[in-house]
């Protein structure tokens, strides 16, 4: 324990466990975002194309996920599946949670495709699967890239919730270091700076992407 407000020695000592936690944070974000991007597209297509026998239960599931906190979902699934590794549960719950929001982003992207292109594809008698694959989805995904980027940043900043299921991500690693040394200031400050160093440039990139697509 140091007597001053800040110690560079403590900051340097806290960095290795924090960087190991950052690796876990990055894995959870990347894997969770892949799940969210794929599942969100599936949900959007199902809710747009399938019959009521499927759209109704999918819609209810989406509303259930959106209406309950991510923290509650993590703990609930963790308790229901005690034999599954905590990081696997964390990535999956993050992915499913954000998929329900990305499905709306995809829906907006699909609806942004000009109506004339749908009509032209129909006039050319293109198979429905090819219309989606070659005409609609490429434009819809392009329109949704800024939204995907924003949600990726949000997911990255919500990974500290994984502490609730015993995953040692970056924030938890800093807390554990502080508990062992009674020096929380340096460790938590380093975590905040890493979050800022990753999130802020990414948000600028997303903003530039939005301006370019606009």
């Amino acid at each position: 324990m140091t007597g001053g407000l800040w110690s560079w020695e403590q900051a340097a000592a806290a960095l290795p466990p924090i960087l190991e936690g950052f690796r876990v944070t990055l894995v959870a974000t990347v894997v969770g975002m892949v799940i969210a991007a794929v599942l969100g597209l599936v949900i959007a297509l199902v809710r747009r194309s399938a019959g009521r026998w499927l759209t109704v239960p999918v819609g209810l599931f989406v509303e259930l996920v959106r209406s309950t906190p991510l923290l509650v979902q993590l703990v609930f699934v963790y308790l229901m599946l005690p034999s599954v590794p905590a990081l696997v549960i964390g990535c999956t719950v993050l992915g499913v949670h954000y998929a329900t929001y990305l499905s709306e982003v995809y829906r907006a992207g699909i609806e942004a495709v000009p109506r004339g292109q749908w009509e032209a594809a129909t006039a050319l008698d293109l198979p429905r699967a090819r219309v989606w694959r070659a005409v609609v989805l490429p434009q819809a995904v392009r329109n949704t890239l800024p939204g995907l980027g924003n949600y990726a940043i949000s997911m990255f900043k919500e990974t500290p919730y994984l502490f609730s299921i015993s995953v040692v991500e970056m924030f938890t690693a800093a807390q554990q270091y502080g508990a062992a040394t009674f020096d929380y200031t340096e460790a938590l400050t380093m975590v905040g700076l890493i979050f800022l160093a990753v999130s802020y440039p990414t948000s600028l990139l997303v903003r530039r992407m939005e301006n370019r697509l606009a």
Side-chain angles (χ1 to χ4, degrees):
M1 182 174 179
T2 58
L5 293 177
W6 180 266
S7 167
W8 287 107
E9 291 78 9
Q10 286 292 341
L15 198 55
I18 290 174
L19 290 178
E20 179 60 25
F22 175 71
R23 183 187 67 81
V24 176
T25 295
L26 202 58
V27 168
T29 303
V30 172
V31 175
M33 197 59 199
V34 170
I35 294 172
V38 174
L39 183 59
L41 180 58
V42 171
I43 292 173
L45 294 177
V46 167
R47 299 190 73 180
R48 184 180 179 88
S49 306
R52 287 182 57 83
W53 63 273
L54 190 55
T55 58
V56 170
V58 170
L60 290 174
F61 173 76
V62 167
E63 293 305 320
L64 174 65
V65 172
R66 287 183 187 170
S67 301
T68 53
L70 175 60
L71 184 61
V72 173
Q73 295 167 14
L74 284 167
V75 174
F76 178 79
V77 177
Y78 181 68
L79 294 176
M80 292 297 101
L81 302 173
S83 61
V84 178
L87 184 57
V88 173
I89 291 176
C91 294
T92 304
V93 173
L94 279 172
V96 172
H97 182 85
Y98 275 90
T100 61
Y101 293 96
L102 289 183
S103 65
E104 289 300 308
V105 176
Y106 283 123
R107 181 189 60 79
I110 292 170
E111 292 181 353
V113 176
R115 187 67 187 173
Q117 298 194 23
W118 293 86
E119 295 172 352
T122 302
L124 292 172
D125 199 26
L126 293 177
R128 185 174 180 83
R130 187 173 181 186
V131 172
W132 280 98
R133 186 176 64 251
V135 179
V136 177
L137 288 183
Q139 297 181 72
V141 171
R142 178 176 177 271
N143 293 335
T144 59
L145 285 178
L148 295 177
N150 286 324
Y151 277 114
I153 296 171
S154 296
M155 183 183 294
F156 175 67
K157 292 188 294 185
E158 288 197 338
T159 52
Y161 283 130
L162 298 181
F163 86 93
S164 62
I165 58 172
S166 75
V167 173
V168 184
E169 37 63 56
M170 184 164 53
F171 181 76
T172 303
Q175 283 192 315
Q176 290 180 350
Y177 178 84
T181 62
F182 300 101
D183 283 295
Y184 288 91
T185 302
E186 293 83 359
L188 294 178
T189 301
M190 296 298 290
V191 168
L193 290 175
I194 293 174
F195 272 115
L196 180 63
V198 175
S199 299
Y200 184 64
T202 306
S203 66
L204 293 179
L205 180 62
V206 170
R207 195 175 307 162
R208 177 177 295 183
M209 189 185 305
E210 288 177 341
N211 294 334
R212 183 169 298 180
L213 292 178

